[in-house]
Amino acid sequence: MEAFDRQIVQLLGNDGRLSFTDLGRLTGMSTSAVHQRVRRLEERGVIKGYRAVLDYEAADIPLTAMVSVTPVDPAAPDDVPDRLRHLEEIDSCFSVAGEESYVLKVRVASPGRLEELLARIRAAAAVTTHTTVVLSTPWEDRCVMRPELDQPPVGDN
């Protein structure tokens, strides 16, 4: 990916509401050039969409936990993500290497709700769980783009 594209992705990743005019000002490109690049990034699937960033405290779901899951029967089909997709408290599902098969990021209103969710996870997917409760979140959901060290932005392509 070119340096300008990386810069655009980084800027939109941090603020998806930036206008093409603002993106042009921040990158030194014309508005039309930025618009074309964003459209190509969307067509290529680099930019998959735009979303609201929530304040989970204000949304009354302040408790975040990471739940590691391991199938009770290692020979069972690997369909844990499909079995858990309907549980809306699960924010993310990560396939991981190690003793566990998946790590789930969950958000709930209280410890009691977490306990209920864990029971539903175990029942729905036939897994054991290991849970880590998040105490605070200094930062989250950063848009991390490794810059190309040998290609600084030049010109208005």
Side-chain angles (χ1 to χ4, degrees), residues 88-102:
E88 63 186 33
E89 298 94 336
I90 300 175
D91 180 88
S92 303
C93 177
F94 305 98
S95 176
V96 297
E99 291 184 31
E100 296 89 4
S101 298
Y102 296 91

Side-chain angles (χ1 to χ4, degrees), residues 2 5-6 14 36 65 74 80 84 95-96 117 119 132 137 142 149 154 157:
E2 293 180 26
D5 291 341
R6 288 181 183 284
N14 291 322
Q36 288 175 349
V80 169
L84 298 177
S95 176
V96 297
L117 175 61
T132 302
T137 306
R142 293 191 309 172
L149 302 177
V154 292
N157 297 341

